[in-house]
Amino acid sequence: MTTLPEIRTHSSYSQLAVGSHDAAVAVYTGADILTQQQTPYTDWEAAAAPFRQIDKEFGKSVVLVPAPSVGGGRLVLSPIDSVDDDTDDVRKVFDAVKSGVARAIEAGARRPAVYLAPLPASVNAVPDADYSRWIEVALLAALEASYVTLVVREHRTATLGADAVVENLHSIDLVVESHSDEELRSAVKRATAIEGGRRLALDMGYGDPERMTPYKCAETIQAAAASVPGLEFEVIKDLDIIKQDYPLLYHSARASFAEKRTWPCVVKLEYRSPVPAQVKEHLFLVGKGVTYDTGGISLKIGGSMRGMSRDKLGACGVAGFAVATGLMQETAVDLSCVLAFERNSIGPNSLLPDEIVYSRAGVRVLINDTDAEGRLVMTDPVAECRERILAARVAGSKIPAAIYTVATLTGHVIRAYGWYGATVANGPARRGKYDQRLAVSGLAYGDPFENSIMRREDHAFVRGRTDREDVYQSNSQPSTLTDRGHQYPAAFIIKASGLDKHSVGAGASAAIPFVHVDIAGSAEDGSEPGLGLCGITGSPVATFAGAFWS
């Protein structure tokens, strides 16, 4: 991971020396907002006035104008058309800041000052929006504009050497009026911790199938974790151990055994609060890390294999959140993360439909579709987390614990919700509103989640019908052609991992909250650049931070 730009905070633009920055990016919500401010903002309006006179569209989009009174003589105006209409939310701030900073970078700036005009009080009346973290969101937007992907950093370094640009910005001067220094410092601390974790997720996520094989993903995480206080790393590569402890992952990965560089591995991350007395919950996070998904013997056809190097983004997101939590030195949570990495290859040793394989929990799983590998690789880690929670309870632990799976699991979630993530929770988690916590946090950080509800049909769909199997892994159709295609996989994970014994009906002492988080929609931005792949968002790192940090 690269070093973030230096961030300095100010309550007024007048506090900045002209030489401290080489561009000013003004983000505001109305065409007259600059005229309402005092000097030096009146100078900005004076610089813009000639352009307003000749262009009736001026002020409706990002524009660069010359302004001698600002550092570098570059003034970027990045307006927000509205923030208080029915469907507005904090993403309006994110988009405006990112666009404005990106324009400054295009103009040659490396040390921009970002001025955030006050938001109108009317934002508090928008029913499905939350602007309480808008300063953090703005900082994350500026940092995203500054970020250079790992593969590009490596390319530039190899070709340009010491002259390579591996970070677009050297510094950011953040100007926000009517906020105390303490508030701004707190926002910077949280945003930079989130960004540190998010960049790990992006560095791995953008890696192609050869740059980020399972082992190379593990190496990337190990390198990042090494400098994070309180974060411990472990990797399991031994195939015999994987076969014993994670049999569904083992069988799903069988075709990859032909080449050792594509062998599966399991990465474990443990984070412990620096103040144990302040721990409010222990989170068990399981991530799907399929570094490439051919579909296996149920081969993806018709071009649907394209983009499957991104099928690891669940594991990338979990690793990113763990790193972010360590950078934050968060005291309210302990984390136990299990990341299952594999390449879902095709070959003579492929897992086959009609096979029955046993899960770690001893459940007989009938395989119907090897392209439904994500639920397989996560189920045994979920069973392991279940065992650890029960053992902790027996040992006398009173700390609440919950299990989360994070995966780019189904195309169905995109058909249902577009480019949004979705949660599917079991009864204990629904009762405790665990899924709603993610929805609330997602609104505040510009990563909205939908809460889907598990129904009896989901469990009935995967329930075994003969004495030869206990549960069906899937049907043989794509999720996009299957009713409730992103809900029922959670029912499979519950049954195959043994979590069905820890429902609401088991009683409060036995119940274990479980939330499946499908980020197939939210992990990418949905904007394909020509024939290239979408941008990656880093979801759900910020959402998890908002939900679980104090």
Side-chain angles (χ1 to χ4, degrees), residues 454-470:
M454 198 180 311
R455 303 293 185 184
R456 60 184 183 179
E457 288 84 359
D458 301 318
H459 291 275
F461 190 68
V462 299
R463 187 177 63 246
R465 300 295 197 278
T466 78
D467 59 1
R468 298 183 295 277
E469 72 278 325
D470 299 313

Side-chain angles (χ1 to χ4, degrees), residues 23-300:
V25 179
V27 179
Y28 53 95
T29 56
D32 60 345
I33 191 69
L34 297 182
T35 61
Q36 296 174 9
Q37 309 301 316
Q38 298 178 352
T39 303
Y41 308 118
T42 52
D43 294 340
W44 297 3
E45 176 56 27
F51 298 91
R52 293 191 194 281
Q53 293 174 1
I54 63 172
D55 185 358
K56 68 177 182 179
E57 294 296 305
F58 185 88
K60 295 183 179 179
S61 61
V62 178
V63 64
L64 170 68
V65 299
S69 65
V70 304
R74 305 180 182 101
L75 173 62
V76 178
L77 301 177
S78 188
I80 306 174
D81 57 353
S82 68
V83 289
D84 53 7
D85 209 348
D86 286 4
T87 58
D88 288 341
D89 59 46
V90 75
R91 288 176 295 174
K92 287 288 193 75
V93 174
F94 184 95
D95 293 343
V97 173
K98 182 180 177 182
S99 297
V101 173
R103 183 67 186 91
I105 292 170
E106 291 173 351
R110 294 294 178 264
R111 296 174 290 109
V114 179
Y115 167 72
L116 303 180
L119 294 178
S122 55
V123 298
N124 297 319
V126 182
D128 294 307
D130 182 351
Y131 290 88
S132 61
R133 298 289 181 182
W134 75 287
I135 297 175
E136 292 173 48
V137 169
L139 269 173
L140 290 170
L143 290 169
E144 180 166 309
S146 179
Y147 170 71
V148 177
T149 65
L150 173 64
V151 290
V152 174
R153 298 197 306 268
E154 291 175 337
H155 167 71
R156 290 177 177 176
T157 300
T159 55
L160 300 175
D163 295 329
V165 176
V166 295
E167 182 75 27
N168 287 327
L169 298 179
H170 299 151
S171 64
I172 300 171
D173 281 291
L174 180 68
V175 183
V176 190
E177 296 181 342
S178 304
H179 286 269
S180 68
D181 291 341
E182 182 179 354
E183 289 175 313
L184 295 180
R185 282 194 299 269
S186 175
V188 170
K189 180 180 179 181
R190 288 176 66 96
T192 53
I194 291 170
E195 180 67 9
R198 204 176 68 91
R199 288 191 174 197
L200 172 61
L202 298 180
D203 280 354
M204 289 195 295
Y206 279 113
D208 67 41
E210 289 299 309
R211 177 61 186 85
M212 286 296 166
T213 62
Y215 283 10
K216 289 181 179 178
C217 284
E219 292 168 2
T220 303
I221 296 170
Q222 183 177 19
S227 60
V228 178
L231 188 61
E232 297 183 359
F233 169 91
E234 177 188 359
V235 62
I236 300 171
K237 296 181 179 179
D238 189 300
L239 292 183
D240 289 334
I241 295 176
I242 292 175
K243 184 177 183 178
Q244 174 181 312
D245 292 346
Y246 310 99
L248 297 182
L249 167 63
Y250 175 89
H251 287 292
S252 177
R254 281 184 342 216
S256 70
F257 297 170
E259 291 283 346
K260 188 171 184 178
R261 63 188 173 79
T262 63
W263 281 11
C265 65
V266 175
V267 170
K268 295 185 176 182
L269 295 169
E270 296 284 339
Y271 170 78
R272 293 297 176 265
S273 165
V275 187
Q278 294 182 14
V279 174
K280 297 180 180 178
E281 57 187 330
H282 191 149
L283 307 178
F284 289 81
L285 308 178
V286 175
K288 171 189 173 184
V290 178
T291 61
Y292 201 80
D293 183 13
T294 69
I297 209 73
S298 303
L299 189 67
K300 292 180 181 291

